[in-house]
Amino acid sequence: VSTQSTGIPYAFSLAGLALGPTLLVVVASVSLYCIFLILQCADRLKKRHNLKDLGYGDVVEWAFKDYFYNDGSVGRRAVNTCLILTQLGFCSIYYIVISENIKVVVENYYPEFVIDLRVYIVVVLVFIMLTSFIWSMKALAKLSMLGNVSIFTGISLVIVYVLLHIDWKEDTSSMLVGRAGNMPIFFGMAIYSYEGIGLVLPIRSEMLEPEKFPYVVSGGVFVVLVGQIIFGVLGFLCFKYDITAIITFNLSKGAIGSVAQIAVSLCVYLTYPLMFYVPVSILSNAAKEVFTNFNSFSVEFWLRVVLVILTFLFAVLIPHIDLFIALIGALASSSLALIFPPMVYIMVFRPTIGKRSVCLLIMLFGFVGAVVGTTYALKDIVCVLSGLPKGGDWPCKPPPGH
C-alpha cells in the first residue's frame, strides 16, 4: 500500500482537493465492507462443508458450486485471471517506477546525460531477472522487510521535502474540484491503491487470534486512509498541476530528494519478487500439466523468464505510468475488490432484499467504474501512443486550463 500511495497526490490533482479525499474515503470504505463480506462467506462455507482454511479463489469456487450446482471452476478461474492481471500489472509498473526515479536522479546531477526512459527499463530488466529466481518464501519475507524500511524512509523524506516547498499563502480555490472527465482515471488509481483483498484470508489464517482480524484490518485501513489523504493533499499543494504520476519524479536535485527517490526505487525493486510470486504460483501448476515431458524445475524456470520478459514488454510499450495504473486498477482490481465479494455473498447467504440491494449497488458501482475506467484508460493510452495529448474528453485534447 505504501508504494501505491506515492501516486495519490497525482490522483488528487485529477479529482481536486475537496472531492479527491471524499471519493478516496468512499473507495476505502466500500473496499473494507467487501473485505468483511468475503470473511463472512469464508466462515459460512467452512462450517457448511467442514473445510479448513480457504483462500480467495477457494471461497469463490465453493460459492459457485453451491449456487450453480457445478464444479465451481469458472469462479476460481475468474479470480485467478484477475489476480494474475493485477500482480503482473504491478510488476510492469514497478519497472517504470524504478527507471523513472533513477533517470531523475541521474539527470539532476548530470544534466547532459539524457537518454530515453526505455534504456533505463532495459537495464532494470537485468536486475529484475536476478531477483525473479528467488523461490523461498523466507527469503522473500526478508526482502519485504527491507522494502518496508526503504519505503518508510522514502515517504518520510518526501513529506519533509513537500513541507519545505509548499507556498501556504497561494489561493487554492480553483483546486477544490477536478474535471468530470478525470474521474475514471482517478477511480482506477484509487482502487489500485486499495487492492489487497486476495491477502486477507491467508493473513487471518496465520494469526494467533484470528477473531481479532476485523479490528486489525479496520484499524489498518483507517491509518492508511488518513496517511494517504494527508500525503495526497500536501503533495498536490506543493506541486499543483505539475504533479507527476509518482510524486518522487517531481523532487529536484538535493540530498532529501535524491535519497527519497533511491529509497522508493529500492523498495519497489525488493517488492517485485513478492508481487511476482502470486502469478507464478498460479500459472506454474497449469504449465507443469501442459509440459509433462519436462521436469518441474525447468518448467518453472522458463515460466519465470517468460513472465519477467512479458512484464518488461508491457512497461516498454506503455511507459505512461498514470494510465497503466488506472488501466490495471479499473480492469482487474475493481473486480477483485468490489464485484466478486458482494456477488459471492449473495450466492452464499441468499440475503433479504435490503442486504441484497446493498450488494447489488456495490456490484454496480464496481462494474460501472471498471467499464468506464478501463475505456478511458485505453483511450488515453491509444492517444498517447499515437502522439496525441491525453485528456478526459473524447476525442483526446488538452485539458482546459491546465
Side-chain angles (χ1 to χ4, degrees):
V1 171
S2 296
T3 306
Q4 282 99 311
S5 296
T6 55
I8 292 296
Y10 176 79
F12 281 6
S13 75
L14 299 175
L17 283 174
L19 190 57
T22 303
L23 294 178
L24 193 65
V25 170
V26 173
V27 170
S29 301
V30 176
S31 298
L32 180 61
Y33 183 76
C34 288
I35 287 174
F36 291 146
L37 293 182
I38 283 293
L39 292 174
Q40 293 174 46
C41 291
D43 292 339
R44 174 62 65 90
L45 289 169
K46 284 195 292 186
K47 290 180 181 179
R48 182 183 297 171
H49 299 285
N50 194 26
L51 301 169
K52 293 184 178 180
D53 294 328
L54 299 175
Y56 195 178
D58 300 320
V59 171
V60 177
E61 181 176 8
W62 278 100
F64 271 66
K65 282 181 180 179
D66 288 355
Y67 196 80
F68 295 110
Y69 302 104
N70 59 22
D71 63 358
S73 59
V74 173
R76 176 182 286 277
R77 284 197 293 267
V79 169
N80 285 345
T81 300
C82 289
L83 285 171
I84 291 169
L85 286 174
T86 302
Q87 298 305 113
L88 291 182
F90 287 171
C91 292
S92 294
I93 290 167
Y94 286 178
Y95 275 100
I96 306 172
V97 174
I98 297 170
S99 302
E100 188 71 58
N101 273 309
I102 294 173
K103 187 175 189 292
V104 171
V105 172
V106 170
E107 292 180 2
N108 279 340
Y109 288 91
Y110 303 97
E112 70 283 358
F113 190 77
V114 179
I115 57 177
D116 190 84
L117 177 65
R118 292 177 176 85
V119 176
Y120 287 93
I121 296 177
V122 172
V123 175
V124 170
L125 167 64
V126 177
F127 293 93
I128 290 289
M129 187 68 77
L130 295 175
T131 58
S132 69
F133 294 116
I134 300 175
W135 296 13
S136 167
M137 278 303 295
K138 289 185 178 180
L140 292 176
K142 292 178 181 178
L143 289 180
S144 180
M145 290 178 62
L146 292 174
N148 289 335
V149 174
S150 296
I151 195 63
F152 178 80
T153 301
I155 286 184
S156 298
L157 289 173
V158 170
I159 291 174
V160 171
Y161 181 99
V162 164
L163 289 174
L164 292 174
H165 291 81
I166 289 179
D167 182 0
W168 298 100
K169 298 179 180 180
E170 188 169 349
D171 180 29
T172 58
S173 57
S174 62
M175 300 166 58
L176 296 179
V177 179
R179 297 169 58 248
N182 290 334
M183 296 307 133
I185 304 299
F186 171 86
F187 172 82
M189 298 191 73
I191 199 66
Y192 162 82
S193 70
Y194 279 93
E195 198 291 302
I197 195 169
L199 298 174
V200 167
L201 292 170
I203 290 174
R204 187 180 69 161
S205 67
E206 295 296 325
M207 290 182 64
L208 295 176
E209 299 177 277
E211 67 278 1
K212 294 183 179 179
F213 183 74
Y215 304 104
V216 174
V217 72
S218 298
V221 170
F222 177 77
V223 171
V224 169
L225 176 62
V226 172
Q228 285 184 332
I229 291 174
I230 295 173
F231 187 63
V233 169
L234 291 177
F236 184 26
L237 284 174
C238 180
F239 296 110
K240 309 298 187 300
Y241 290 103
D242 292 325
I243 188 78
T244 51
I246 300 296
I247 192 172
T248 51
F249 301 168
N250 282 104
L251 306 186
S252 58
K253 180 179 178 180
I256 295 177
S258 298
V259 174
Q261 289 157 343
I262 293 170
V264 170
S265 298
L266 179 61
C267 166
V268 172
Y269 175 67
L270 296 174
T271 306
Y272 183 99
L274 193 61
M275 295 294 103
F276 194 64
Y277 180 84
V278 174
V280 168
S281 63
I282 294 173
L283 293 172
S284 61
N285 293 329
K288 290 169 186 176
E289 291 177 1
V290 173
F291 300 100
T292 54
N293 294 330
F294 299 88
N295 64 63
S296 177
F297 176 83
S298 297
V299 172
E300 184 159 342
F301 176 88
W302 287 109
L303 175 65
R304 288 172 178 267
V305 171
V306 169
L307 292 180
V308 168
I309 294 175
L310 185 64
T311 56
F312 158 77
L313 290 175
F314 274 114
V316 170
L317 291 172
I318 313 175
H320 298 272
I321 192 169
D322 55 329
L323 303 181
F324 209 155
I325 290 173
L327 178 62
I328 296 301
L331 183 62
S333 298
S334 59
S335 298
L336 292 171
L338 302 177
I339 297 177
F340 282 120
M343 179 179 67
V344 169
Y345 185 88
I346 291 174
M347 292 179 178
V348 173
F349 287 93
R350 309 194 185 206
T352 60
I353 187 66
K355 192 65 174 283
R356 183 184 295 264
S357 298
V358 172
C359 289
L360 290 173
L361 282 174
I362 294 174
M363 289 176 63
L364 181 63
F365 173 64
F367 180 76
V368 172
V371 172
V372 177
T374 300
T375 302
Y376 270 75
L378 286 174
K379 183 267 300 182
D380 278 354
I381 288 172
V382 171
C383 289
V384 169
L385 294 179
S386 302
L388 300 172
K390 63 185 178 181
D393 300 321
W394 299 84
C396 300
K397 56 185 179 181
H402 302 319

